[in-house]
Amino acid sequence: MSSRGLILGIESSCDETAAAVVERGSLTLSSVVASQIATHARYGGVVPELASREHLRAIVPVVRAALAEAAVTLADLDAIAVTSGPGLAGALLVGLTYAKALAFAQNLPLIAVNHLEGHIHAVLLHEQETAQSSLDAQPAPDAPALALVVSGGHTHLYLARPTNGTWSYSLVGRTVDDAAGEAYDKVAKLLGLGYPGGPWIDALAPHGDPHAVPFSFAQIKTKAHLAGKPARTKAAKSAPIAALDPHFLFSFSGIKTAALRYVELHNLRPEAESRREALFTGPDAPAHPTIDQALATCDPTTLDLIASFQHAVVGDLLKKTFAAAESLSASRILVTGGVAANRELRARFTAEAARRGLHVAFPTLALSTDNAAMIAAAAWPRFTAGQFAPPDLSANPSLALGI
Ligand code: KG4
Ligand code: ZN
């Protein structure tokens, strides 16, 4: 066994098959992601059966590519880390089974990583990589941090604390229904934009008036109101609501319905349908539509809706995240997950943090969405603490973090 501290990470929880080699949890030697977007795009969302099939196809070449890119062999590795949940059951099983077999065959320890913990470590990994290459003042790496994980499956707030070299997490808030990324994807679909919708809305929003449509969020009032109610979505099932401060609860299903009403009121559906046909599904649709092509198909009313939707969602995420950080005395905010790639979100969180004298950090754009470098990085503290997975480790689609 080498002493380089090399961990091979494997991630297959949703629609990306990913593998990466990370040294000592702080230096990415390779990060390979095979996206299934093209497979799922025509259905406007992830089809679980297709996801499992695509993972089966991609897992071996993706792992090989990650090793080759890092210029290492299996014999150089110190451990294998894999996402054990949450995610799609069949999708998780592909990565998990492969990782278990590889660890067994190579006589390497296996480390199970929660996908959400992985997203948080995407920021920590980026912080460490930039600390190594810059002289800028970095926040104390062992200070407690408030983490917002905002993706297609989650909108969760955690207090993350380093304890004796490993991290512990307390759930502070979360969505009671849709995840923010899910709302982005649904509103984009409604407007005839491609899948996933987040990047399209991100790119088109600067062309509309963010104050044109006064979207608002009802404050979720009391714990009693939600206590004992069954969870309505997969995201909600992974963590209980009743124990949380209602000020830190999110709800994105209302804004999706409000967007639908706006589309109907302004008769935007025919325009959306012709946009979908021209750009994404029709026989003459370009292979890779550009932003300019999408922009040319949007009238000002649609652009106003897009800008206002994004402004409202980012505003709500910002308000509750900073309120939680303040209330829990966290001087550092980590924002991660696919929606953390959003430009308006990054700009407004950065400006608000500066205004309040807090530190905010994001992953690189590539590490914001699903990848395996974050899984290998999250595994490093567990490796040094000897926290290895049992031989009967199984996938847990609703695995919770920090309850
Ligand atoms: O983290 P991720 O790759 O997968 C999940 O764990 O869900 O996040 C994917 C989500 C999708 O909903 C996608 O629309 C959203 O992240 N997303 C964005 C942007 N890029 C990806 N949302 C807003 N703006 C973006 N630039
Ligand atoms: Zn994710």
Side-chain angles (χ1 to χ4, degrees), residues 280-305:
F280 300 103
T281 56
D284 301 324
H288 301 287
T290 64
I291 299 304
D292 285 343
Q293 284 170 323
L295 191 56
T297 64
C298 292
D299 70 9
T301 320
T302 299
L303 292 170
D304 285 350
L305 168 62

Side-chain angles (χ1 to χ4, degrees), residues 190-284:
L190 187 69
L191 295 174
L193 295 167
Y195 174 83
W200 288 107
I201 292 189
D202 184 352
L204 293 170
H207 301 277
D209 173 2
H211 304 288
V213 192
F215 288 122
S216 62
F217 292 89
Q219 175 63 52
I220 298 163
K221 288 212 171 57
T222 64
K223 296 181 190 186
H225 164 66
L226 293 155
K229 289 216 168 168
R232 279 188 284 156
T233 62
K234 270 196 207 141
K237 273 186 204 145
S238 67
I241 314 166
L244 302 173
D245 184 329
H247 292 99
F248 310 143
L249 296 177
F250 300 95
S251 168
F252 293 107
S253 73
I255 193 164
K256 179 190 67 189
T257 313
L260 173 62
R261 252 186 263 120
Y262 184 91
V263 164
E264 280 163 1
L265 188 69
H266 295 271
N267 196 26
L268 299 178
R269 210 179 274 278
E271 189 208 302
E273 272 160 18
S274 79
R275 181 181 312 120
R276 182 184 302 286
E277 170 82 12
L279 288 174
F280 300 103
T281 56
D284 301 324

Side-chain angles (χ1 to χ4, degrees), residues 67-86:
L67 293 170
E69 214 173 275
V72 300
T73 66
L74 287 171
D76 297 320
L77 299 175
D78 293 288
I80 295 178
V82 66
T83 306
S84 59

Side-chain angles (χ1 to χ4, degrees), residues 11 13 115 119 151-152 154 337-338 368-370 374:
E11 151 68 39
S13 65
H115 181 79
H119 273 303
S151 70
H154 296 90
S368 295
T369 48
D370 289 350
M374 68 186 196

